[in-house]
């Protein structure tokens, strides 16, 4: 998860984001002179490989064919996306399945409308030189994490499921300095890094890395990345959001069939503020495509079973302020 999640404080301090809210604008239904419905979509991070399908849909004209004018926006802070959607200042936002469940437990009216990356990218990583064969071998070791207690819960679950004692793990908050913490041997392992980003960067720098998938060690096989809307937004723009998902599915199909061309559309849009490494993004997209494939189901489809399992695990870990019903947290459009 690429955000530092401090939900109660963040929700109470939405006023401090007034400047950003004004910049994004209001999400009430707007149309262009040509009759297209405008949608503002907030990314979870700066534009990178997981977002390729949207840039492909935009550049191939799929959104325009659906009667949409889509504005893809990088939030000034990665904490902002859900708050802006919840307050009606954006229409859609990419976020994380577990974060959506936590938000709903705080009575924040966010709903997931599509599973984009269907399996965990945030994985427990160790350098091969550490000779760690499985999570239980980390007992007595130091784990670096980026200020997110949920990451600790993931590792604790993995170690326990593997037969180790999580109470004997040591954690150190390294913020987002995950890679240097690992390479400078300040920690023995990291959580909070993604296999399609941090792992690839480490390997490009010559470090052999093993990543342990949480879903294989007691953590639910959760949706890493989901597309979210607000309850009110679903009422006022349900048809436009449905068209967005359908056009995005075409963008994903184009990306799967033409990965190099689709990725180039993303690379052509990169800014000097967020430069991309073409090799890293190419390897990232290759890794992501099978993790985004819904098989026989439509692109973005979600199951109640997935949400129920994730909610139950979060409850067990003490991450939910109150109980959450799966049917309240997601919609298949």
């Amino acid at each position: 998860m690429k955000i530092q999640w401090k939900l109660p404080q963040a929700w109470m301090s939405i006023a401090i984001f007034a400047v950003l809210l004004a910049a994004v604008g209001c999400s009430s239904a707007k149309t262009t002179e040509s009759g297209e419905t405008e949608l503002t979509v907030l990314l979870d991070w700066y534009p990178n490989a997981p977002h390729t399908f949207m840039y492909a849909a935009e550049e191939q004209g799929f959104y325009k064919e659906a009667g949409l004018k889509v504005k893809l926006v990088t939030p000034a802070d990665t904490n902002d996306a859900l708050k802006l959607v919840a307050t009606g200042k954006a229409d859609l936002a990419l976020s994380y399945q577990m974060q959506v469940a936590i938000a709903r437990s705080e009575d924040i009216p966010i709903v997931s409308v599509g599973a984009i990356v269907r399996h965990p990218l945030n994985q427990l990583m160790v350098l091969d030189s550490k000779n760690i064969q499985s999570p239980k071998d980390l007992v007595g070791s130091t784990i670096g994490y980026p200020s997110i207690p949920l990451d600790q819960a993931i590792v604790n679950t993995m170690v326990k499921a593997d037969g180790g004692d999580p109470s004997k793990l040591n954690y150190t908050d390294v913020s987002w300095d995950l890679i240097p913490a690992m390479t400078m041997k300040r920690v023995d392992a990291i959580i909070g890094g993604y296999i399609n980003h941090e792992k690839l960067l480490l390997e490009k720098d010559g470090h052999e890395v093993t990543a342990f998938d949480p879903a294989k060690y007691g953590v639910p096989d959760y949706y890493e990345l989901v597309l979210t809307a607000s309850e009110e937004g679903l009422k006022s723009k349900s048809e436009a959001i449905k068209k967005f998902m359908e056009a995005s599915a075409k963008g994903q199909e184009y990306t799967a069939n033409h990965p190099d061309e689709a990725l180039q559309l993303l690379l052509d849009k990169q800014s000097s503020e967020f430069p991309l490494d073409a090799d890293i993004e190419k390897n990232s997209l290759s890794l992501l495509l099978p993790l985004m494939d819904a098989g026989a189901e439509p692109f973005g489809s979600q199951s109640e079973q997935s949400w129920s399992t994730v909610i139950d695990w979060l409850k067990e870990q003490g991450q939910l302020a109150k109980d959450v019903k799966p049917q309240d947290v997601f919609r298949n459009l």
Side-chain angles (χ1 to χ4, degrees), residues 51-71:
H51 310 136
T52 303
F53 72 100
M54 290 188 291
Y55 285 90
E58 180 181 45
E59 294 301 315
Q60 292 299 305
F62 299 142
Y63 292 139
K64 186 176 181 63
E65 290 172 3
L68 304 175
K69 182 177 181 180
V70 175
K71 183 179 181 182

Side-chain angles (χ1 to χ4, degrees), residues 23-24 37-60 63 68-76 81 84 90-94 116 227 244-245 247-248 251 262 265-266 269-271 274:
V24 173
T37 301
E38 295 184 352
L39 289 179
T40 297
V41 182
L42 299 179
L43 307 181
D44 57 305
W45 209 28
Y46 65 81
N48 65 111
H51 310 136
T52 303
F53 72 100
M54 290 188 291
Y55 285 90
E58 180 181 45
E59 294 301 315
Q60 292 299 305
Y63 292 139
L68 304 175
K69 182 177 181 180
V70 175
K71 183 179 181 182
L72 302 175
V73 179
T74 302
L84 291 170
D91 302 296
L92 297 164
L94 286 170
I116 305 303
L227 186 71
F244 176 85
M245 286 300 301
S248 294
L265 297 174
L266 172 70
K269 292 286 188 177
Q270 67 181 301
S271 67
F274 302 111

Side-chain angles (χ1 to χ4, degrees), residues 38 65 89 105 109 138 142 150 170 181 238 240 268 301 305 325:
E38 295 184 352
E65 290 172 3
K89 300 300 180 179
S105 80
L138 285 167
T142 300
L150 186 56
N170 302 304
S238 60
D268 289 344
S301 64
Q305 179 61 46
K325 296 179 180 179

Side-chain angles (χ1 to χ4, degrees), residues 94-207:
L94 286 170
S95 188
Y96 310 89
Q97 184 178 23
M98 290 189 181
Q99 262 62 8
V100 172
I102 293 170
R104 288 304 300 237
S105 80
E106 295 284 344
D107 293 324
I108 297 177
I110 291 296
V111 180
S112 173
V113 296
I116 305 303
V117 179
R118 311 182 67 81
H119 306 281
L121 299 175
N122 177 17
Q123 299 192 10
L124 178 61
M125 298 182 204
V126 299
L127 295 176
D128 286 358
S129 59
K130 293 289 184 179
N131 198 31
I132 301 297
Q133 302 301 314
S134 69
K136 68 175 182 294
D137 295 337
L138 285 167
V139 167
S141 300
T142 300
I143 317 296
Y145 78 111
S147 310
I148 302 173
L150 186 56
D151 283 331
Q152 290 179 286
I154 289 173
V155 177
N156 288 344
T157 297
M158 294 175 69
V159 169
K160 184 177 181 180
D162 195 36
D165 183 355
S167 69
K168 295 181 180 179
L169 296 171
N170 302 304
Y171 288 96
T172 183
D173 185 347
V174 299
S175 186
W176 292 108
D177 294 329
L178 293 164
I179 290 177
M182 175 92 88
T183 58
M184 296 175 67
K185 300 182 179 179
R186 291 192 282 123
V187 298
D188 301 299
I190 57 171
I191 188 70
Y194 277 23
I195 56 172
N196 68 308
H197 188 72
E198 280 81 2
K199 185 174 185 288
L200 296 180
L201 288 171
L202 283 162
E203 291 173 342
K204 186 170 184 176
D205 285 342
H207 302 284

